[in-house]
Amino acid sequence: MNQAEDIKNAVTVLRQGGLILYPTDTVWGIGCDATNAEAVAKVYALKQRDDHKAMICLVDSAARLQRYVRNVPNVAWDLLDVAIKPTTVIFDEAVNLAPNLLGEDGSIALRITHEPFSKELCYRFQKALVSTSANISGQPTAANFRDIAPEIIAGVDYVCFARRQEHHPHTPSSIIKLANNGEVQIIRK
């Protein structure tokens, strides 16, 4: 299967409120439509994760990121420009996303992906995409497809074919919390 067909199949499932497994710019992720509360609830159930723990979302561009944050502080662009690895930013005042996806304070964790497959997937989907690690909560993160537990694979509606054969060390993104007042807090290096 070529990448265009793979992405088309994934987007069809996402638009129907389904869950996908896909490679990202960091580790393999469980994805769904970040604007669909029912789909987000399915992700929490599959991961056996408390629904008060917010999840990360991927977008393909700065323009798309701005659709989901009421006020993007200017320092965010500077931080993203100098980041040397994939960096997720937690922003205050999320908008246009499923309420059960947000932090208790109304914040959202967003990352602009530059990895070719996940970037094209986000572009074709035209919305933010949930990107939470493909594991049961509390279990080790699945860096490669071969590391994903069978119950996670069985619990999604579509598994992307891209990069399944990889055996490279992948690590989660850096996470920075950026308050509207410009205060920066490093959550994960």
Side-chain angles (χ1 to χ4, degrees):
M1 175 176 299
N2 67 36
Q3 180 171 304
E5 290 173 299
D6 202 12
I7 288 173
K8 182 180 177 184
N9 292 341
V11 167
T12 297
V13 169
L14 292 167
R15 288 190 176 138
Q16 294 169 347
L19 306 186
I20 66 168
L21 270 178
Y22 68 108
T24 75
D25 53 342
T26 58
V27 298
W28 271 75
I30 300 170
C32 75
D33 178 348
T35 67
N36 182 328
E38 288 179 19
V40 170
K42 290 186 222 175
V43 174
Y44 282 118
L46 178 59
K47 284 185 64 77
Q48 301 171 28
R49 181 176 176 163
D50 291 334
D51 62 5
H52 69 274
K53 292 184 177 182
M55 292 187 282
I56 293 171
C57 294
L58 286 187
V59 293
D60 64 315
S61 65
R64 187 131 17 245
L65 182 144
Q66 292 178 79
R67 293 182 188 176
Y68 301 110
V69 179
R70 188 172 312 285
N71 175 40
V72 179
N74 287 334
V75 70
W77 308 120
D78 297 332
L79 286 170
L80 292 171
D81 283 345
V82 300
I84 56 175
K85 68 180 267 191
T87 301
T88 300
V89 179
I90 301 172
F91 294 97
D92 289 340
E93 299 183 67
V95 294
N96 304 317
L97 292 166
N100 56 340
L101 184 58
L102 310 182
E104 292 178 345
D105 60 357
S107 63
I108 188 62
L110 288 166
R111 183 168 73 250
I112 300 171
T113 181
H114 299 288
E115 182 274 330
F117 184 86
S118 57
K119 184 175 184 74
E120 184 70 12
L121 176 62
C122 290
Y123 174 75
R124 295 288 172 201
F125 185 51
Q126 295 286 298
K127 294 183 188 180
L129 184 62
V130 166
S131 182
T132 185
S133 56
N135 62 315
I136 302 293
S137 192
Q139 298 294 317
T141 300
N144 293 289
F145 180 76
R146 68 179 179 169
D147 304 320
I148 301 172
E151 61 264 35
I152 295 292
I153 295 171
V156 301
D157 302 295
Y158 184 74
V159 180
C160 292
F161 286 87
R163 297 178 38 210
R164 284 193 193 182
Q165 303 306 317
E166 277 186 2
H167 300 292
H168 302 297
H170 294 281
T171 56
S173 68
S174 297
I175 301 178
I176 297 171
K177 183 163 178 42
L178 182 58
N180 279 346
N181 65 7
E183 181 181 319
V184 177
Q185 179 183 4
I186 297 172
I187 306 295
R188 181 171 68 201
K189 287 187 179 188

